[in-house]
Amino acid sequence: MNYQKAESMTDLFWRKTRNPLTFWPRIILTLLIFIAFWSQAVWWIIFLFFVEAGIMFFSPPAMQYDHWLTRATDGFRIWSVVRSVAERNTMLLMFLFPVVAFFSAIWMHEWFWIFFFGVQLIIGKLLLIRRFMAMANAIEYDVQTGLTDEDLQFIISRCNLTN
């Protein structure tokens, strides 16, 4: 395979995350984590998290850049660089309560609350993916890195690499 050398571990992580082939195993493993959480099998939860991390660690970087999952990941990377820390924290707090409530409902085997908070999380995640894809489609960016020139300059200035 034709691998390009990554400039940092963060860059390598983003390249691997952009690979659409890692999406479906991560979705299946996430569902298995939910099932393990339902059965309250703590060791299976830990094992599945390690398997999911292994998939990300050993997956190849993305080679095609026109897939919708790659565009959504690029939009998320652009969003995470452009937005302020307060905006990112607000987004995390918006998802924190439904996630905690969802996992609590799974642990307690409460069907109504699992459905109630699960639908909220699915709709919220789909809206975020839609927003990230629109952001990636609206901005001209380098398909190799997934970042615009302004984002790269912002990262460089934020890391104090201009000295």
Side-chain angles (χ1 to χ4, degrees), residues 27-80:
I27 292 295
I28 292 168
L29 282 170
T30 302
L31 293 175
L32 289 175
I33 288 171
F34 291 156
I35 292 169
F37 213 86
W38 173 271
S39 64
Q40 300 177 353
V42 177
W43 290 110
W44 276 105
I45 296 169
I46 294 169
F47 172 73
L48 291 171
F49 272 117
F50 276 110
V51 170
E52 195 161 348
I55 287 174
M56 289 306 300
F57 183 75
F58 292 111
S59 67
M63 299 305 242
Q64 297 176 348
Y65 306 107
D66 55 349
H67 198 273
W68 68 272
L69 290 168
T70 304
R71 294 287 180 163
T73 306
D74 292 343
F76 176 69
R77 188 171 187 190
I78 292 167
W79 177 83
S80 66

Side-chain angles (χ1 to χ4, degrees), residues 99-138:
V99 166
V100 170
F102 179 71
F103 278 109
S104 299
I106 289 177
W107 193 266
M108 301 301 286
H109 301 162
E110 296 287 336
W111 285 102
F112 174 76
W113 295 112
I114 291 171
F115 181 75
F116 182 77
F117 290 112
V119 168
Q120 285 183 6
L121 290 173
I122 290 170
I123 290 173
K125 187 67 173 176
L126 290 175
L127 288 174
L128 274 177
I129 290 172
R130 181 175 172 252
R131 179 178 179 188
F132 295 152
M133 286 179 57
M135 185 176 281
N137 289 333

